[in-house]
Amino acid sequence: MNNVDPKAHRNLYSLLFHHHPDAVFILNRQGELCYFNPACAQLFGTRLQVGQPLTRCIHTFEIGTFHHFFKQALKGKPFEFRLVNRNGEDNMQDLKLRMVPNILDETLKGVTLYVQNPTEEERDHGHTVQADLLICQSFIEYHRDPILLLDQRATIVLANPAFSKLLGWSKEKLVGSHILDCPAIPSYLVKQMKRYYQQVVAAERHSDIYSYTNLEHIETIQVASDGNEYRMLLSISPIYQASGSLCYWAVHLRNITDKHLLEDQLNMFVLEHEVSDELSNLEHLKTVSHLAASISHEVRNPLTATRGFIQLLREPAISEDKKQLYIQISLDELSRAESIITDYLTFAKPSLEHIEHIDLEEELHYIGEVIKPFASMQNAAVQLILSPHLHIVGDRKKLQQALLNLMKNGVESMKNNGKLTLSLEEENDRVVITIQDNGTGMSPEQLKKLGTPYFTTKEKGTGLGTMVAFSMIRSMEGEISVSSELGKGTCITASFPKHVN
């Protein structure tokens, strides 16, 4: 049979199908005509030509649907389906088609296509189906959401413009494809779509309204032709004829990408704040840890010294003068430990014990007089530049302690012939106190650590003094800024809300 020439094949086909009532086409694997019987020309009223693709000869077919079932038949499976053939604007034929694979010696040679003109009853039914399709098309075409129309075999028969506009896939690429072969469905979600479709179909067949309601939609992803992914709500709804029988399925998509983007941004915002709070707590614990280490170290030194001298006092041969000396040293060391603990407690809770109106010109003049003897011992001069009639509300003793501590640090940072300037002025309804020295200054790295636990530029300092001073100033609604440059000095500015006495 393989050696029979094409003409012999056609003679054999003519013998078999010449008088067949149905239109019969013999197609090769490429879909080209090898034979057609007289009923074909009568049915389609067109000129057919052997060797030409059938869809080129009969271009009024729904080509996408035809190609889909032709590909299935080439896999060795027979198929029956209906197809609309358009002869002009108003003349449409609802045809019954059957494709049968031609297999010879276990090799698929082509496909035999049987096309049947429906009976009067079938034709009336076909017109009804066609009318229903036109109504569906009109509704779907102008819907703003992407919609696909499926036949009962889940083959795409219509894709509206909104689908193509959003996802970029053309109608030609979609129509005729099974829904699971739709290019918009990513491969990793095909199983999800298959499972959902089967559940919807099962619920409809069993008239299970409860189950169908629970299958209202699924959240999925659709892929555009350019590779972009869109989050979608997808639902499949049945479409019924006037007779009540199922004719189509509508796949309705709604783009929720922007909604999810906002939700993701909100979740990220919340996460960032949670992380920020957690880091703040960790930083706080780190600060407490450093502070505790500093306190324990500084308190241990005077206590160790005191213990040593108390042990010496137990010696029977010690003189009275040495006893008095050791007692005095022990008391001094205990006072030092007490001072360190007091500074720590002040930093931890800088309470204001005595709130009063403070005349800053008067107060700073007093502070300047207090610091001058200490400055003279360091060969440094103190300059006061004070504006009158400026008042704040606060604790006078705490303010004195804070400013004296900062000024003492400035004096200690200067070498011979240093100069410390204490100034007072008004700026934008705030009272500004400035402490300026021309001492050794600090590097940017040191400046960042100023006021943190146990950071100090002194050989025997603890860093607590500056911490306490800053804490006291802030407790009186003060704001602090510090600028410094190595070799040129440091400037500390403390500003407070102005109070009208």
Side-chain angles (χ1 to χ4, degrees):
M1 190 91 178
N2 287 339
N3 297 324
V4 181
D5 61 31
K7 184 176 181 180
H9 273 298
R10 288 195 292 272
N11 289 337
L12 178 59
Y13 295 147
S14 179
L15 181 64
L16 293 172
F17 302 116
H18 185 80
H19 298 290
H20 200 287
D22 296 338
V24 180
F25 298 91
I26 306 296
L27 309 176
N28 63 15
R29 295 175 61 91
Q30 288 73 42
E32 298 168 342
L33 274 171
C34 298
Y35 168 82
F36 58 91
N37 69 351
C40 295
Q42 293 175 7
L43 180 59
F44 292 102
T46 184
R47 186 173 180 181
L48 302 172
Q49 186 176 350
V50 172
Q52 291 291 322
L54 177 62
T55 52
R56 185 178 299 176
C57 299
I58 309 176
H59 54 79
T60 54
F61 265 171
E62 289 178 350
I63 296 175
T65 304
F66 177 84
H67 276 308
H68 170 73
F69 286 105
F70 183 74
K71 291 177 183 177
Q72 297 301 316
L74 289 178
K75 296 178 181 178
K77 297 179 181 180
F79 277 95
E80 289 188 11
F81 59 99
R82 302 180 77 93
L83 197 72
V84 174
N85 183 48
R86 301 175 183 270
N87 290 327
E89 288 291 329
D90 302 320
N91 187 13
M92 292 181 290
Q93 295 174 293
D94 182 35
L95 303 176
K96 293 172 63 177
L97 286 79
R98 183 160 55 97
M99 287 186 176
V100 180
N102 295 333
I103 301 175
L104 183 63
D105 297 332
E106 298 183 356
T107 302
L108 194 143
K109 301 295 184 180
V111 173
T112 300
L113 172 64
Y114 298 88
V115 182
Q116 189 177 51
N117 203 0
T119 63
E120 190 71 29
E121 181 181 351
E122 291 174 330
R123 193 176 296 113
D124 291 340
H125 175 72
H127 288 321
T128 301
V129 172
Q130 188 61 33
D132 292 339
L133 177 60
L134 290 174
I135 293 173
C136 288
Q137 285 179 333
S138 177
F139 173 77
I140 292 171
E141 285 285 330
Y142 295 101
H143 204 288
R144 67 181 64 184
D145 290 335
I147 297 179
L148 297 175
L149 192 65
L150 312 181
D151 65 14
Q152 295 186 52
R153 295 178 180 271
T155 302
I156 300 172
V157 297
L158 180 67
N160 72 344
F163 191 98
S164 298
K165 181 179 180 181
L166 178 64
L167 298 175
W169 301 107
S170 64
K171 288 185 179 181
E172 292 73 21
K173 186 73 174 177
L174 298 168
V175 173
S177 301
H178 192 276
I179 185 60
L180 299 182
D181 296 326
C182 178
I185 302 177
S187 58
Y188 60 90
L189 290 178
V190 169
K191 287 185 178 179
Q192 179 203 40
M193 183 65 186
K194 181 179 180 180
R195 183 169 56 251
Y196 177 66
Y197 175 75
Q198 290 174 341
Q199 291 171 344
V200 170
V201 171
E204 194 280 333
R205 285 178 179 171
H206 294 88
S207 300
D208 190 345
I209 297 175
Y210 176 77
S211 297
Y212 188 76
T213 302
N214 288 336
L215 294 170
E216 187 175 351
H217 64 258
I218 59 171
E219 188 171 322
T220 187
I221 291 174
Q222 297 285 289
V223 180
S225 58
D226 59 6
N228 288 327
E229 293 187 348
Y230 292 86
R231 288 181 179 267
M232 297 280 193
L233 284 181
L234 182 149
S235 62
I236 300 179
S237 305
I239 298 176
Y240 299 98
Q241 300 178 42
S243 62
S245 59
L246 177 72
C247 58
Y248 296 106
W249 293 100
V251 180
H252 184 189
L253 297 162
R254 177 154 294 175
N255 186 6
I256 57 171
T257 304
D258 291 341
K259 174 189 173 185
H260 272 270
L261 182 61
L262 289 174
E263 289 178 350
D264 291 343
Q265 290 176 342
L266 179 60
N267 291 336
M268 183 60 69
F269 178 77
V270 171
L271 180 61
E272 287 176 353
H273 273 264
E274 290 177 350
V275 171
S276 177
D277 291 342
E278 190 66 25
L279 289 175
S280 178
N281 290 335
L282 290 174
E283 188 64 28
H284 178 70
L285 291 174
K286 181 180 177 182
T287 299
V288 172
S289 175
H290 286 173
L291 190 58
S294 174
I295 294 297
S296 63
H297 174 73
E298 294 301 324
V299 170
R300 186 183 296 114
N301 290 338
L303 292 181
T304 301
T306 301
R307 177 174 178 169
F309 284 112
I310 291 176
Q311 287 176 335
L312 290 174
L313 289 173
R314 297 171 64 181
E315 295 292 331
I318 191 171
S319 67
E320 186 65 27
D321 290 340
K322 284 192 175 181
K323 280 185 179 180
Q324 294 301 321
L325 176 62
Y326 294 164
I327 291 173
Q328 186 58 48
I329 292 174
S330 298
L331 291 174
D332 290 344
E333 291 298 311
L334 289 175
S335 296
R336 181 183 164 203
E338 181 185 16
S339 176
I340 293 171
I341 293 172
T342 301
D343 283 347
Y344 169 70
L345 294 175
T346 303
F347 169 74
K349 190 176 180 181
S351 60
L352 302 180
E353 298 174 0
H354 304 287
I355 305 300
E356 57 184 309
H357 299 104
I358 303 174
D359 183 334
L360 285 179
E361 181 189 16
E362 178 182 328
E363 196 62 39
L364 295 188
H365 182 78
Y366 169 77
I367 293 172
E369 293 300 318
V370 172
I371 200 68
K372 279 181 180 179
F374 179 73
S376 296
M377 293 173 59
Q378 305 290 329
N379 294 321
V382 177
Q383 181 183 19
L384 304 180
I385 306 175
L386 309 176
S387 299
H389 313 304
L390 294 177
H391 300 78
I392 64 170
V393 173
D395 187 318
R396 185 186 304 274
K397 294 296 182 182
K398 300 291 185 186
L399 180 65
Q400 290 177 0
Q401 182 180 349
L403 295 180
L404 282 171
N405 204 322
L406 296 176
M407 293 173 72
K408 179 173 175 288
N409 289 343
V411 170
E412 290 176 340
S413 71
M414 296 185 291
K415 298 179 180 179
N416 292 336
N417 300 319
K419 182 179 179 182
L420 181 74
T421 302
L422 177 63
S423 61
L424 171 65
E425 59 184 339
E426 181 181 355
E427 186 177 308
N428 298 327
D429 292 328
R430 291 185 71 84
V431 177
V432 180
I433 300 173
T434 304
I435 301 171
Q436 174 81 53
D437 68 64
N438 59 354
T440 56
M442 292 178 286
S443 67
E445 291 74 19
Q446 291 174 321
L447 190 59
K448 287 180 182 178
K449 297 178 182 178
L450 185 66
T452 58
Y454 82 114
F455 169 76
T456 179
T457 56
K458 304 176 186 178
E459 291 183 4
K460 297 183 179 181
T462 65
L464 287 176
T466 303
M467 287 175 58
V468 170
F470 284 2
S471 180
M472 288 177 175
I473 290 171
R474 293 189 180 105
S475 70
M476 290 185 280
E477 299 183 18
E479 296 177 358
I480 306 166
S481 64
V482 183
S483 60
S484 185
E485 188 174 349
L486 280 175
K488 293 188 177 181
T490 301
C491 179
I492 300 176
T493 300
S495 67
F496 301 87
K498 179 183 176 183
H499 178 74
V500 179
N501 191 7

